[in-house]
Amino acid sequence: VRRDALERTLEGVHVAISAGGTREPLDPVRFIGNRSSGKQGYALARVAAQRGARVTLVAGNTADLATPAGVDLIRVGSAVELKDAMHKVAADADVIVMAAAVADFRPTSLTGHKIKKTSADPDPITLTKNPDILVELVSARREGQLIVGFAAETGDDTTSVLDYGRAKLRRKGCDLLVVNAVGAGLAFEQENNAGWLLSADGSETPIPHGSKAQLASVVWDAVTARSTEPQ
Ligand code: CTP
Ligand code: CA
């Protein structure tokens, strides 16, 4: 059955979605960032709202995107801010989708003043690991809560994109993982995405090449199918 995007299959469901990239501050004017546009997270929010969900969108840095109609937007900067916002929103969410590009590392020390140029060579930037927000949300999961992760993989000589995705699903412990093949003009800053939807129950669905809205529809169809399954 083809589900129309306007069918209100998520009525009464509160979904929390993270989108965009985090910015890890070095000093009051500088940060380490990434190329995430936030388009996939915003598409997920738009489609969920069209399907009747109550949507909270937690957005890091994004391209200049319009907030989808009927969506509550929370702005964050760093991974630590995103983590705090997601834990707050998760306490009341039925579905959590981590579509944000969370920086894996942040500068170890944040100076309160602008780092000044001197005649000496600059100090190297030392980094420390950020918390894994998805893993934390899975540990804190409430009964019946469904958690969806994203993975962008290139694959390499020894391991395919899909195998990296399977390993990541196990490591994160989420219910669903969207695996995107990236590199060579795929995914980042693009209108279109391609990949697989992996489920903790072992099912693997190829996601046909299409728009980020179409990928969002695949994700929400899978969420609806799982939440209406007899327990
Ligand atoms: N994620 C997170 N917190 C982090 C890093 C990632 O919540 N500190 C989430 C992302 O939002 C995404 C999923 O985890 O939903 C996978 O992110 P990814 O960067 O692919 O996985 P990592 O565990 O960081 O592994 P790596 O980057 O080494 O492939
Ligand atoms: Ca990462």
Side-chain angles (χ1 to χ4, degrees), residues 32-102:
I32 297 174
N34 62 64
R35 293 186 186 280
S36 172
S37 67
K39 284 179 184 167
Q40 185 60 67
Y42 273 60
L44 283 155
R46 185 174 306 107
V47 173
Q50 285 167 350
R51 293 186 181 196
R54 179 182 145 213
V55 182
T56 307
L57 179 59
V58 180
N61 183 63
T62 66
D64 188 15
L65 304 174
T67 307
V71 166
D72 290 325
L73 181 72
I74 299 171
R75 279 270 169 207
V76 295
S78 66
V80 169
E81 284 173 27
L82 175 60
K83 167 193 145 115
D84 292 343
M86 287 310 292
H87 279 293
K88 268 192 201 117
V89 174
D92 181 51
D94 303 300
V95 184
I96 300 167
V97 184
M98 280 298 295
V102 186

Side-chain angles (χ1 to χ4, degrees), residues 147-149 151 161-170 174-179 195-207 226:
I147 305 183
V148 185
V161 167
L162 196 48
D163 281 335
Y164 272 129
R166 288 170 178 141
K168 194 164 282 180
L169 174 66
R170 283 193 297 273
C174 50
D175 300 286
L176 293 167
L177 186 75
V178 179
V179 181
W196 294 265
L197 182 66
L198 307 185
S199 172
D201 68 15
S203 67
E204 301 184 344
T205 317
I207 299 172
R226 266 156 195 77

Side-chain angles (χ1 to χ4, degrees), residues 122-137:
D123 289 335
I125 296 168
T126 60
L127 300 174
T128 188
K129 254 188 178 165
N130 268 326
D132 192 316
I133 304 168
L134 180 55
V135 164
E136 285 189 7
L137 292 167

